[in-house]
Structures are given as structure tokens and as C-alpha cells.
Amino acid sequence: MILHNRVNKDVLKQRLKESTEERLTLSFYRYFHIYDVHAYRDKLYLHLSELGVLGRVYVAEEGINAQISVSKDRFEDFQHYIDKSDELQGIRLNIAVDDDGKSFFKLKIQVRTKIVADGLNDSTFDVTNRGIHLSAEAFNELTNDPETIIVDMRNHYESEVGHFENAILPDVDTFREALPVVENMLDEAKDRNIVMYCTGGIRCEKASAYYKHRGFQRVFQLDGGIIEYARQVREKGLENKFIGKNFVFDERLGERISDDVISKCHQCGAPCDTHTNCKNDGCHLLFIQCDACAKKYDGCCSKECQEVIHLPQDEQRKLRSGINKGRQVFKKGRSEKLVYKSNPTKKEANPVTNDPLSSLMQEAAK
């Protein structure tokens, strides 16, 4: 059996767009040792393909990180497979809260060095000595304390469209970059309550263990991340402290948690929190674009890219020859062409957006 997709992505996207099948988007992760990563990857691909699963899965010697969608009609079968799996049984499935079922159009399972790129040498500290997990209710209670420091462990384009009230938002491009930046910011607050959060919890699993190793005394993490928090808030009728959208790494690029729109179109500055990728195949820049600008620029990030997409396909291919842009969902999404997007220079030390806790940090440093 072929262990990869062989159908053109445009055909698959069109099928997904036209499909009336109800699908659930969900994510899960687990740290566990995989002795033969490639064999595990192939076995997983066979099983998930048989279940009609679509999505993106990373496997490494340290475990698995998956964002997928499954048909509602096959979800019970999928759950049965998880329950029978020695490696995955008991795993928490983070089910999307704002989902149209159009999140993925194919199944892709990749072998990676790590399931999340963090730049850490795991042999130098105990990765299982993690921070204390908090439910949504416990998170709300602890963050009501003005002495608690809330840290967003995500990238700038994620926190730009949504974040928790009073959170520190490091203006970083990657998780790897965030780790030392956050440590430097909180160096004088090692005895304070530090509460971290991310999309589904996986980044905080590693970050909390690392910060405990670095001497932070009271480290907490939001169990299941923003996705699980939003689910618990809705089911239990709790106060929602998250404002805006939760950025997600699939075709949706975001799920709404509150009605607040806290960001702006990168081209005109109008209130907007809709991420998109530039329609120029030689660019694919991730940016925020309102409907008016999408129409004005034909879905492109600039006039230059707009001109390119109207060229004959042969000329477009020549222009991007040797340039493999691929999917830019994970890219930093900064460009001097985007007038209303922050572009900090490398000379700036520890840039932070939405700095409501600057006075708190000054106090902590006394």
C-alpha cells in the first residue's frame, strides 16, 4: 500500500470544499519513547488512512504530536483505535470549539527530530518534572491573584489575534526563541506564580520542565491549552478570560473564543483577525487581511505579489524557480510591505507586545 498521498492538493482542496461530510477537528500529543520511528510512522499511516483520518502528524523518538480531522461517522471507530493502542490509550483529545470540518484535506505523517522544535538538550534536565497542570477553573482562580504572572508561550502571529487578559506576549517568531526570551524577562521573579499557556498544551509540557530546571519555584501550565480551556468554559459556564481568536495550525487558521477583535488588517489598519496566506505561490506570506483588502489585492500581501499572480503560469513558475515556499502557516509572517504589522529589528532585546505587566516586572525586579 502507498504510504503517502498522490492526489494533487488543489483537487483535494476542492473536494473538501464541496464535501457535505461532517468532520471533527481535534489534536493530541504524548511524550513517550518510540524505538523505531519510521516503522511506527508507517503503521500509524496505515491505521489512520483506514479510518479516513486527514491531518498533519509529527512523530519522533520522543513521541507524537497530531492535528487531525475525522468523520463524525467514524469517530467511534477512531476512539476505539486509540483505546486499543498501547502507546495512545488514555490520551486526551482536544476537540476544536469553532469548527466547520474543513481543517485538513490530506493525511501527512512526518518523522521529525522532535515533535516540537525547542532547541533544548533534553539530557540535561528531567523533562518529566513538569509544571502543575491547571483546569480552566483553577486557571481562573490563580490568575485572579494580581501577583500571578501569565505568560503566552506562543509566537507573535498567534497572540496577535487572541490571548488571555493581562498576559505577557513575547514578540517572537518561534518557540525556540521564546524560551530564553521569557527566561530573561522573568529572571527576577523566580519565586512568583508563573502560569504558562499555549494552543493545546504541548509547548508548555517542555517549557515548564525547563523553567523548573532553571530555578523557577512555582511553575503552572494550562492543562490542554487554550482549546481545552475554551471547552471547559463553555461546558461549565465559567468566566472566559481569553479574548479574541485562538490561532490554529490548519486550513481554518483560527477558532473564535470570544467576540472581541483585538488585531487589525496588516494592509489598511481596519479591525480584523482573519489570517490568510498570500495567493502568490512564490510568497505565501502569513498575514491578517480584511475582506476589503482581499478584494483590492486579490488575496495578496502586496501590489508586487498581485502583479505576479496575473502573469501567465509559465512566467510565475520561472519567477519562483528554486524557491520552495510550501505552507507558510508556520512562518513568521513579517514583511516591510505590511504597513500595520510590527517588525522589530534584531537589535531590540526581548521585544514584548501588549505589555500590561511592565510595572509588575519592574516591581518584581526590586
Side-chain angles (χ1 to χ4, degrees):
M1 178 178 177
I2 297 171
L3 298 177
H4 62 275
N5 169 66
R6 299 185 66 180
V7 181
N8 182 277
K9 67 176 183 179
D10 293 329
V11 173
L12 293 174
K13 285 185 176 182
Q14 189 61 31
R15 286 181 188 173
L16 180 66
K17 183 179 180 180
E18 295 174 353
S19 174
T20 58
E21 180 185 45
E22 291 187 87
R23 300 184 68 87
L24 292 172
T25 301
L26 55 98
S27 61
F28 60 88
Y29 68 87
R30 173 168 285 175
Y31 283 98
F32 65 97
H33 189 72
I34 302 177
Y35 293 96
D36 188 336
V37 182
H38 288 87
Y40 182 79
R41 179 265 171 203
D42 292 349
K43 179 181 73 171
L44 188 65
Y45 191 97
L46 286 171
H47 289 310
L48 295 187
S49 294
E50 290 172 357
L51 292 168
V53 171
L54 305 175
R56 180 178 54 253
V57 183
Y58 298 140
V59 293
E61 289 185 355
E62 65 175 0
I64 185 171
N65 180 17
Q67 296 86 42
I68 64 171
S69 79
V70 60
S71 168
K72 284 187 177 181
D73 292 337
R74 301 296 306 276
F75 182 74
E76 188 174 331
D77 295 333
F78 172 76
Q79 185 69 67
H80 180 72
Y81 166 70
I82 293 294
D83 293 340
K84 293 296 183 181
S85 168
D86 291 337
E87 302 89 358
L88 303 179
Q89 59 180 269
I91 203 168
R92 181 186 55 240
L93 303 177
N94 287 331
I95 299 178
V97 294
D98 182 19
D99 183 24
D100 60 2
K102 309 292 184 181
S103 50
F104 295 101
F105 58 88
K106 67 178 179 179
L107 175 62
K108 185 175 184 179
I109 305 181
Q110 292 181 292
V111 172
R112 290 282 186 92
T113 303
K114 288 193 172 188
I115 53 177
V116 176
D118 52 37
L120 298 176
N121 182 353
D122 293 356
S123 66
T124 62
F125 66 102
D126 183 0
V127 297
T128 66
N129 185 24
R130 301 165 298 186
I132 298 172
H133 285 211
L134 298 174
S135 65
E137 188 172 4
F139 176 91
N140 283 357
E141 183 177 352
L142 187 58
T143 55
N144 280 336
D145 183 350
E147 293 295 302
T148 296
I149 301 173
I150 311 167
V151 185
D152 193 318
M153 294 304 301
R154 302 173 302 155
N155 306 329
H156 67 90
Y157 54 83
E158 298 173 81
S159 60
E160 184 176 15
V161 294
H163 55 77
F164 280 103
E165 298 170 357
N166 300 320
I168 292 176
L169 313 176
D171 196 0
V172 295
D173 295 335
T174 65
F175 178 53
R176 179 196 298 256
E177 182 183 346
L179 288 167
V181 167
V182 170
E183 182 178 4
N184 289 336
M185 289 165 53
L186 303 181
D187 186 56
E188 300 298 325
K190 288 189 174 181
D191 61 343
R192 305 283 282 273
N193 286 333
I194 309 295
V195 179
M196 298 180 296
Y197 69 89
C198 55
T199 307
I202 187 170
R203 281 174 274 191
C204 294
E205 288 287 301
K206 186 66 70 70
S208 65
Y210 174 72
Y211 289 137
K212 289 183 70 175
H213 166 69
R214 297 295 293 174
F216 289 87
Q217 303 298 314
R218 292 183 284 182
V219 181
F220 301 83
Q221 62 188 90
L222 180 58
D223 191 23
I226 301 164
I227 298 173
E228 177 65 11
Y229 176 88
R231 186 191 69 80
Q232 291 183 23
V233 163
R234 292 188 182 186
E235 287 189 358
K236 299 179 180 180
L238 302 174
E239 175 190 3
N240 177 27
K241 290 193 170 191
F242 190 92
I243 53 176
K245 264 185 176 180
N246 178 31
F247 184 94
V248 291
F249 295 86
D250 57 54
E251 294 296 313
R252 297 172 299 151
L253 293 179
E255 53 184 18
R256 185 156 298 286
I257 308 299
S258 81
D259 293 332
D260 306 274
V261 176
I262 65 171
S263 53
K264 55 193 174 185
C265 174
H266 289 162
Q267 292 173 309
C268 72
C272 180
D273 57 9
T274 302
H275 272 104
T276 188
N277 289 110
C278 179
K279 295 301 183 288
N280 176 11
D281 287 337
C283 177
H284 282 179
L285 179 73
L286 177 71
F287 69 109
I288 297 174
Q289 186 178 55
C290 68
D291 291 341
C293 286
K295 183 176 181 180
K296 178 179 178 180
Y297 294 98
D298 294 326
C300 293
C301 69
S302 63
K303 291 182 178 179
E304 291 83 357
C305 282
Q306 184 180 23
E307 291 174 359
V308 169
I309 68 169
H310 291 295
L311 293 173
Q313 285 296 323
D314 286 345
E315 291 189 37
Q316 290 189 47
R317 282 192 285 269
K318 288 180 181 178
L319 286 174
R320 63 176 184 268
S321 178
I323 302 174
N324 181 19
K325 286 291 181 181
R327 282 180 55 83
Q328 299 298 286
V329 171
F330 303 103
K331 302 305 180 184
K332 59 186 181 180
R334 300 192 198 270
S335 172
E336 295 300 329
K337 299 173 184 177
L338 302 176
V339 179
Y340 292 91
K341 172 62 183 176
S342 170
N343 291 286
T345 65
K346 292 296 182 181
K347 294 181 180 179
E348 293 177 328
N350 300 344
V352 180
T353 60
N354 189 52
D355 191 16
L357 298 186
S358 60
S359 58
L360 182 150
M361 298 313 301
Q362 290 171 6
E363 176 190 342
K366 291 180 181 178

